[in-house]
Every structure is written in C-alpha cells, then in structure tokens.
Coordinates of all heavy atoms in Angstrom, one line a residue:
Q1191 N 0.5 -7.3 11.7 CA 0.6 -7.5 10.3 C 0.3 -6.2 9.7 O -0.8 -5.6 9.8 CB -0.5 -8.5 9.9 CG -0.4 -8.8 8.4 CD 0.8 -9.6 8.0 OE1 1.3 -10.5 8.7 NE2 1.4 -9.2 6.9
G1192 N 1.4 -5.6 9.1 CA 1.2 -4.2 8.6 C 0.8 -4.3 7.0 O 0.8 -5.4 6.5
H1193 N 0.5 -3.1 6.5 CA 0.2 -2.9 5.2 C -0.9 -4.1 4.7 O -0.7 -4.8 3.8 CB 1.4 -3.0 4.2 CG 2.4 -2.0 4.6 ND1 2.2 -0.7 4.3 CD2 3.5 -2.1 5.2 CE1 3.2 0.0 4.8 NE2 4.1 -0.8 5.3
A1194 N -1.9 -4.2 5.5 CA -2.8 -5.4 5.4 C -3.6 -5.3 4.2 O -4.2 -6.3 3.6 CB -3.8 -5.4 6.7
G1195 N -3.9 -4.1 3.7 CA -4.7 -3.9 2.5 C -6.2 -4.2 2.6 O -6.8 -4.6 1.7
K1196 N -6.8 -4.1 3.8 CA -8.1 -4.3 4.1 C -8.9 -3.3 3.2 O -8.5 -2.2 3.0 CB -8.5 -4.0 5.5 CG -7.8 -5.0 6.5 CD -8.1 -4.7 8.0 CE -7.3 -3.4 8.4 NZ -7.5 -3.0 9.8
P1197 N -9.9 -3.8 2.4 CA -10.7 -4.9 2.7 C -10.3 -6.2 2.1 O -11.0 -7.2 2.2 CB -12.0 -4.5 2.1 CG -11.8 -3.6 1.0 CD -10.5 -2.9 1.5
S1198 N -9.2 -6.2 1.4 CA -8.6 -7.5 1.0 C -8.4 -8.4 2.1 O -8.0 -7.9 3.2 CB -7.3 -7.3 0.2 OG -6.7 -8.5 0.0
P1199 N -8.7 -9.7 2.0 CA -8.4 -10.7 3.1 C -7.0 -11.0 3.3 O -6.7 -11.7 4.3 CB -9.3 -11.8 2.7 CG -9.3 -11.9 1.2 CD -9.3 -10.4 0.9
R1200 N -6.0 -10.6 2.4 CA -4.7 -11.0 2.4 C -4.0 -10.7 3.8 O -3.2 -11.6 4.2 CB -3.9 -10.6 1.2 CG -3.6 -9.1 1.3 CD -2.8 -8.7 0.0 NE -2.9 -7.3 -0.2 CZ -2.2 -6.3 0.3 NH1 -1.2 -6.6 1.1 NH2 -2.4 -5.1 0.0
G1201 N -4.3 -9.6 4.3 CA -3.4 -9.2 5.6 C -4.0 -10.2 6.7 O -3.2 -10.7 7.6
L1202 N -5.3 -10.4 6.8 CA -5.9 -11.4 7.8 C -5.4 -12.8 7.6 O -5.0 -13.5 8.5 CB -7.4 -11.3 7.7 CG -8.1 -10.1 8.5 CD1 -7.8 -8.8 7.9 CD2 -9.6 -10.4 8.6
L1203 N -5.3 -13.2 6.3 CA -4.9 -14.6 6.0 C -3.4 -14.7 6.4 O -3.0 -15.7 6.9 CB -5.1 -14.9 4.5 CG -6.5 -14.9 4.2 CD1 -6.7 -15.1 2.6 CD2 -7.4 -16.0 4.8
A1204 N -2.6 -13.6 6.1 CA -1.2 -13.7 6.5 C -1.0 -13.8 8.0 O -0.2 -14.6 8.5 CB -0.4 -12.5 6.0
A1205 N -1.9 -13.0 8.8 CA -1.7 -13.0 10.1 C -2.1 -14.5 10.7 O -1.5 -15.0 11.6 CB -2.7 -12.0 10.7
M1206 N -3.2 -15.1 10.2 CA -3.6 -16.4 10.6 C -2.5 -17.4 10.3 O -2.2 -18.3 11.1 CB -4.8 -16.7 9.9 CG -6.2 -16.0 10.5 SD -7.7 -16.6 9.8 CE -7.7 -15.8 8.2
S1207 N -1.9 -17.3 9.1 CA -0.8 -18.2 8.8 C 0.4 -18.1 9.8 O 0.8 -19.0 10.2 CB -0.2 -17.8 7.4 OG 0.8 -18.7 7.0
R1208 N 0.8 -16.8 10.1 CA 1.8 -16.6 11.1 C 1.5 -17.1 12.5 O 2.4 -17.6 13.2 CB 2.1 -15.1 11.3 CG 2.7 -14.4 10.2 CD 2.8 -12.9 10.2 NE 3.5 -12.5 11.5 CZ 3.6 -11.3 11.9 NH1 3.0 -10.4 11.3 NH2 4.3 -11.0 13.0
S1209 N 0.1 -17.2 12.8 CA -0.3 -17.7 14.1 C -0.7 -19.1 14.1 O -1.2 -19.7 15.1 CB -1.5 -16.8 14.6 OG -1.1 -15.5 14.7
D1210 N -0.7 -19.7 12.9 CA -1.1 -21.1 12.7 C -2.5 -21.3 13.1 O -2.9 -22.3 13.9 CB -0.1 -22.1 13.4 CG -0.3 -23.5 12.9 OD1 -0.6 -23.7 11.7 OD2 0.0 -24.5 13.6
A1211 N -3.5 -20.3 12.8 CA -4.9 -20.4 13.1 C -5.7 -20.6 11.9 O -5.4 -20.1 10.9 CB -5.2 -19.1 13.9
L1212 N -6.9 -21.3 12.1 CA -7.9 -21.4 11.1 C -8.9 -20.3 11.1 O -9.1 -19.8 12.3 CB -8.5 -22.8 11.2 CG -7.6 -24.0 11.1 CD1 -8.4 -25.2 11.5 CD2 -7.1 -24.1 9.7
P1213 N -9.5 -19.9 10.1 CA -10.6 -19.0 10.0 C -11.7 -19.3 11.0 O -12.2 -18.3 11.7 CB -11.1 -18.9 8.6 CG -10.0 -19.4 7.8 CD -9.3 -20.4 8.6
A1214 N -12.1 -20.5 11.2 CA -13.2 -20.9 12.1 C -12.8 -20.6 13.6 O -13.6 -20.5 14.5 CB -13.4 -22.3 12.0
H1215 N -11.5 -20.4 13.9 CA -11.1 -20.0 15.3 C -10.5 -18.6 15.4 O -9.8 -18.3 16.3 CB -10.0 -21.1 15.6 CG -10.5 -22.5 15.6 ND1 -11.4 -23.0 16.5 CD2 -10.2 -23.5 14.7 CE1 -11.7 -24.2 16.2 NE2 -11.0 -24.5 15.1
T1216 N -10.8 -17.8 14.5 CA -10.3 -16.4 14.4 C -11.4 -15.4 14.3 O -12.4 -15.6 13.7 CB -9.4 -16.2 13.1 OG1 -8.4 -17.3 13.2 CG2 -8.8 -14.9 13.1
A1217 N -11.2 -14.3 15.0 CA -12.1 -13.1 14.9 C -11.4 -11.9 14.5 O -10.1 -11.7 14.8 CB -12.8 -12.9 16.2
M1218 N -12.0 -11.0 13.8 CA -11.4 -9.7 13.5 C -12.2 -8.6 14.2 O -13.5 -8.5 14.1 CB -11.5 -9.4 12.0 CG -10.9 -8.1 11.5 SD -9.2 -7.8 11.9 CE -9.1 -6.0 11.8
L1219 N -11.5 -7.7 14.9 CA -12.1 -6.6 15.7 C -11.7 -5.3 14.9 O -10.6 -5.1 14.5 CB -11.6 -6.6 17.1 CG -12.0 -5.4 17.9 CD1 -13.5 -5.3 18.1 CD2 -11.3 -5.5 19.3
G1220 N -12.8 -4.5 14.7 CA -12.6 -3.1 14.0 C -13.7 -2.2 14.1 O -14.8 -2.6 14.7
D1221 N -13.5 -1.0 13.6 CA -14.5 0.1 13.7 C -15.1 0.4 12.5 O -16.1 1.2 12.4 CB -13.9 1.3 14.4 CG -12.8 2.0 13.4 OD1 -11.9 1.3 13.2 OD2 -13.0 3.0 13.1
K1222 N -14.6 -0.1 11.3 CA -15.1 0.3 10.0 C -15.7 -0.9 9.2 O -15.1 -1.9 9.0 CB -14.0 0.9 9.2 CG -13.7 2.3 9.7 CD -12.6 2.9 8.9 CE -12.2 4.2 9.5 NZ -11.5 4.0 10.9
L1223 N -16.9 -0.6 8.6 CA -17.5 -1.7 7.8 C -16.6 -1.9 6.5 O -16.5 -3.1 6.1 CB -18.9 -1.3 7.4 CG -20.0 -1.3 8.5 CD1 -21.2 -0.6 8.1 CD2 -20.1 -2.6 9.2
L1224 N -16.3 -0.9 5.8 CA -15.8 -1.1 4.5 C -14.3 -1.5 4.4 O -13.7 -1.9 3.4 CB -15.8 0.3 3.7 CG -17.1 0.7 3.3 CD1 -17.2 2.1 2.7 CD2 -17.8 -0.3 2.5
T1225 N -13.7 -1.6 5.6 CA -12.3 -2.2 5.6 C -12.3 -3.4 6.6 O -12.3 -4.5 6.1 CB -11.3 -1.2 6.1 OG1 -11.8 -0.6 7.4 CG2 -11.0 0.0 5.1
D1226 N -12.6 -3.2 7.8 CA -12.3 -4.3 8.8 C -13.5 -5.4 8.7 O -13.1 -6.6 8.7 CB -12.5 -3.7 10.3 CG -11.4 -2.6 10.5 OD1 -10.2 -2.7 10.0 OD2 -11.8 -1.5 11.0
M1227 N -14.8 -5.0 8.7 CA -15.8 -6.0 8.6 C -15.8 -6.8 7.2 O -16.0 -7.9 7.2 CB -17.1 -5.3 8.9 CG -17.2 -4.7 10.3 SD -16.9 -5.9 11.6 CE -15.2 -5.5 12.0
L1228 N -15.6 -6.0 6.2 CA -15.5 -6.6 4.9 C -14.3 -7.6 4.7 O -14.4 -8.7 4.2 CB -15.5 -5.6 3.8 CG -15.6 -6.1 2.3 CD1 -16.8 -6.9 2.1 CD2 -15.7 -4.9 1.4
A1229 N -13.2 -7.2 5.2 CA -12.0 -8.1 5.2 C -12.3 -9.3 6.0 O -12.0 -10.4 5.7 CB -10.8 -7.3 5.8
A1230 N -12.9 -9.2 7.2 CA -13.3 -10.3 8.1 C -14.2 -11.2 7.3 O -14.0 -12.5 7.3 CB -14.0 -9.8 9.4
S1231 N -15.3 -10.6 6.7 CA -16.2 -11.5 5.9 C -15.5 -12.3 4.8 O -15.6 -13.5 4.7 CB -17.3 -10.5 5.3 OG -18.1 -11.2 4.4
R1232 N -14.6 -11.5 4.0 CA -14.0 -12.2 3.0 C -13.0 -13.2 3.3 O -12.6 -14.2 2.6 CB -13.3 -11.1 2.1 CG -14.3 -10.2 1.5 CD -13.7 -9.0 0.6 NE -13.1 -9.6 -0.6 CZ -12.1 -9.0 -1.3 NH1 -11.7 -7.8 -0.9 NH2 -11.6 -9.6 -2.3
A1233 N -12.4 -13.1 4.6 CA -11.5 -14.0 5.1 C -12.2 -15.2 5.8 O -11.5 -16.2 6.2 CB -10.5 -13.4 6.1
G1234 N -13.5 -15.1 6.0 CA -14.3 -16.1 6.7 C -14.1 -16.2 8.2 O -14.2 -17.3 8.8
V1235 N -13.8 -15.1 8.8 CA -13.6 -15.0 10.3 C -14.8 -14.3 10.9 O -15.5 -13.5 10.2 CB -12.3 -14.5 10.7 CG1 -11.1 -15.1 10.0 CG2 -12.3 -12.9 10.3
L1236 N -15.0 -14.4 12.2 CA -16.0 -13.7 12.9 C -15.6 -12.3 12.9 O -14.6 -11.8 13.3 CB -16.0 -14.2 14.5 CG -17.1 -13.8 15.3 CD1 -18.5 -14.3 14.9 CD2 -16.8 -14.1 16.7
A1237 N -16.8 -11.4 12.6 CA -16.6 -10.0 12.4 C -17.2 -9.3 13.7 O -18.3 -9.3 13.9 CB -17.3 -9.5 11.1
L1238 N -16.3 -8.6 14.5 CA -16.7 -8.0 15.6 C -16.4 -6.4 15.4 O -15.3 -6.1 15.2 CB -15.9 -8.5 16.8 CG -15.8 -10.0 17.1 CD1 -14.9 -10.3 18.3 CD2 -17.3 -10.4 17.3

C-alpha cells in the first residue's frame, strides 16, 4: 500500500480492507514513533 500518509491511519485501513482483515487481527511493524507507531495506534492495530 503506497502513499500511505502515515501517521494517518488511512493507508493501514486501506491495506486491511484489501486483505479483508480486522484491526484486532492486524499488527503494524515499523521503526518510527511519529509515523508507524502513531498510525498503528490510530488504526487500532498492534504496534510493533
């Protein structure tokens, strides 16, 4: 999922929609708090 716009959750939500996955069954892996972890938090997914 390109142009994700993190920390907005929209890229994560689009990826979950494409994969037919729910936030409760999804994790986001990243190296930055202000983009990856904040997007994960806002999308309601496990932040790794």
